Amino acid sequence: MPLEGLEDAELARRIAAAGERIDSAAESELYRRLAPRVRLYGLRHLRDPHAAHDLVQQVLLTTLERLRAGKVREPERIASYVLGMCRMTVLEIRRGTWRREQLLETYGGTEGYDAPEPVALDGERLAKCLEALAERERSVVSLSFFAEQAGDEVAKALGLSAGNVRVIRHRAIGKLRECMGEAQ
Amino acid sequence: MSTCAKPIELEALIAYWLGELGESAEAPLEEHLFDCAHCTRRLEWLAACAGGVRAAVREGTIALALTPRFLEHMKRQGMRIREYPAAPGETINCTLRAEDDAVVSRLQAPLAGASRVDALHSVDSGGGRIARWRMDDVPFDPQAGEVLFTPAAAALRKMPAHTRRVQLLAVEAAGERPLGEYTFAHTPG
């Protein structure tokens, strides 16, 4: 069966079973699948693409190493295990007890396996879609994403209720998805 | 493409991305995301959209009405802003230099009591070519007595000398009340 058809858990079990013989095909596939999830977690909690990239390497290279060494007790719950590693590592980064040098020392600067490139939108098309929004919608979207203001802050800035901002924001992002050809 | 039997609502994804969810709501959502390629893909799109909006503002590919805090954020991000305060009836000579990231007009107006403000824009490029458009319901700060606009700097850089006029209107139940008219004589930087 092609690896693409296997569940994450089955890939984790194959990696654990191979141990130091290293099933690089299974490792590469698991890395490819989990990298976007870890990167998004990093972006959400660290708000820094470089830090998110480091998090992907730290968490996934450590996970693969522990799978090979039989140190992951429940390989069938690999996604949950990786999430736990993300949470722990982000806490360490925030406390200042994690250093990038550790990553270099442990893994010798290896980049790990190939990860899919982050989704990139056509900037020109997005600008046109933003221009097509109503002014209020554009204000809410730009305050949310550029100024990184939560709904209640946007509400205060625009003299609206937080509930109203959530409605406008949802509608505006829905329109952007449609305009960008993303809506299903 | 992967599917999901119970996809996370778009509103919840947005709230998660903006850090609005409490820990008790965030934890199960993250558990789902780590187990679901479909919802991860939808969050990736949202993250890319957020990044695209930031880039559009930084690169000046969109025109915006601004709040004071938004303008402060632009400056904190290191953007170099050329600002032009303007009183009603005033004509301002303005430009956008190569070293500027954006130009902001600060339109002073008697905004006390206004609940909605619209802006009528016109750009006269000469030779009878006049473009007109209306921005409905722009954000404004009644205390500061100002409405802030930034035109799309990327487009402005390509434009020849022109005259831009903005008229602010208070929109009320009884109709529209003019708040001020402002003229910007733009020369390329």
Side-chain angles (χ1 to χ4, degrees):
Chain A
M1 184 179 194
L3 292 177
E4 291 79 12
L6 296 181
E7 299 285 334
D8 296 348
E10 184 55 34
L11 290 169
R13 278 194 288 269
R14 281 179 64 150
I15 294 164
E20 288 313 312
R21 285 179 286 115
I22 300 184
D23 184 340
S24 49
E27 289 192 2
S28 170
E29 176 62 15
L30 192 63
Y31 194 101
R32 186 188 67 76
R33 285 186 201 181
L34 294 177
R37 304 175 205 182
V38 178
R39 194 183 68 83
L40 285 170
Y41 184 93
L43 281 175
R44 161 66 184 81
H45 291 276
L46 301 169
R47 294 289 184 212
D48 175 354
H50 301 294
H53 176 78
D54 288 348
L55 186 74
V56 171
Q57 285 189 292
Q58 173 73 44
V59 166
L60 293 185
L61 292 175
T62 306
T63 299
L64 292 176
E65 190 179 67
R66 290 188 184 172
L67 275 169
R68 284 182 217 130
K71 289 182 180 169
V72 178
R73 269 181 297 183
E74 297 176 285
E76 61 279 7
R77 299 190 66 238
I78 191 64
S80 193
Y81 180 88
V82 170
L83 172 57
M85 290 271 297
C86 287
R87 286 178 174 149
M88 206 170 60
T89 311
V90 164
L91 274 180
E92 286 176 11
I93 291 171
R94 284 191 177 145
R95 285 187 194 130
T97 52
W98 183 88
R99 292 175 303 110
R100 191 167 196 283
E101 291 72 24
Q102 282 173 238
L103 181 62
L104 296 172
E105 283 160 19
T106 312
Y107 297 107
T110 176
E111 281 287 315
Y113 293 96
D114 288 338
E117 285 296 315
V119 171
L121 304 186
D122 176 344
E124 205 172 310
R125 185 168 174 187
L126 180 63
K128 282 187 183 140
C129 293
L130 285 164
E131 293 282 4
L133 294 178
E135 187 54 41
R136 185 65 84 182
E137 293 168 343
R138 192 163 47 243
S139 295
V140 167
V141 167
S142 54
L143 283 165
S144 302
F145 288 154
F146 178 74
E148 294 187 329
Q149 291 184 351
D152 51 351
E153 296 170 288
V154 175
K156 207 180 291 176
L158 299 180
L160 300 167
S161 71
N164 201 351
V165 164
R166 281 195 293 274
V167 170
I168 294 171
R169 194 174 65 187
H170 183 267
R171 187 174 61 217
I173 294 172
K175 284 184 184 176
L176 289 178
R177 278 168 57 86
E178 199 170 320
C179 180
M180 297 294 291
E182 176 70 10
Q184 303 281 304
Chain B
M1 188 173 172
S2 57
T3 56
C4 173
K6 205 177 171 189
I8 300 168
E9 295 286 339
L10 178 61
E11 184 52 39
L13 281 179
I14 298 166
Y16 169 70
W17 191 252
L18 293 171
E20 292 174 355
L21 299 179
E23 210 172 301
S24 59
E26 192 165 286
L29 188 142
E30 287 180 338
E31 290 280 351
H32 180 109
L33 282 171
F34 268 73
D35 231 353
C36 178
H38 177 78
C39 290
T40 294
R41 172 69 185 72
R42 292 168 63 232
L43 184 64
E44 271 199 289
W45 185 87
L46 190 65
C49 181
V53 170
R54 286 194 295 276
V57 175
R58 274 197 313 268
E59 293 161 15
T61 56
I62 52 169
L64 282 171
L66 309 173
T67 63
R69 191 156 164 207
F70 192 99
L71 178 58
E72 284 310 308
H73 191 75
M74 289 168 88
K75 292 176 184 172
R76 277 202 306 277
Q77 294 292 303
M79 290 180 70
R80 289 151 302 183
I81 314 286
R82 183 173 293 272
E83 296 178 57
Y84 290 105
E90 206 172 357
T91 296
I92 304 286
N93 292 318
C94 58
T95 190
L96 176 67
R97 297 204 187 285
E99 65 269 23
D100 301 326
D101 293 306
V103 61
V104 170
S105 52
R106 309 186 70 122
L107 311 185
Q108 294 151 14
L111 296 167
S115 57
R116 171 178 154 174
V117 173
D118 288 3
L120 304 178
H121 294 257
S122 69
V123 170
D124 183 347
S125 305
R129 287 168 301 156
I130 302 178
R132 292 189 174 86
W133 70 98
R134 182 175 185 130
M135 284 172 120
D136 289 341
D137 201 9
V138 298
F140 63 95
D141 180 354
Q143 267 76 44
E146 277 188 326
V147 179
L148 310 179
F149 288 108
T150 182
L156 191 59
R157 285 186 205 289
K158 295 178 190 161
M159 290 177 73
H162 64 271
T163 303
R164 181 181 296 257
R165 289 189 180 81
V166 185
Q167 186 183 18
L168 295 181
L169 301 169
V171 180
E172 297 160 343
E176 294 177 345
R177 174 168 55 90
L179 294 169
E181 192 165 337
Y182 314 81
T183 305
F184 296 90
H186 179 85
T187 46

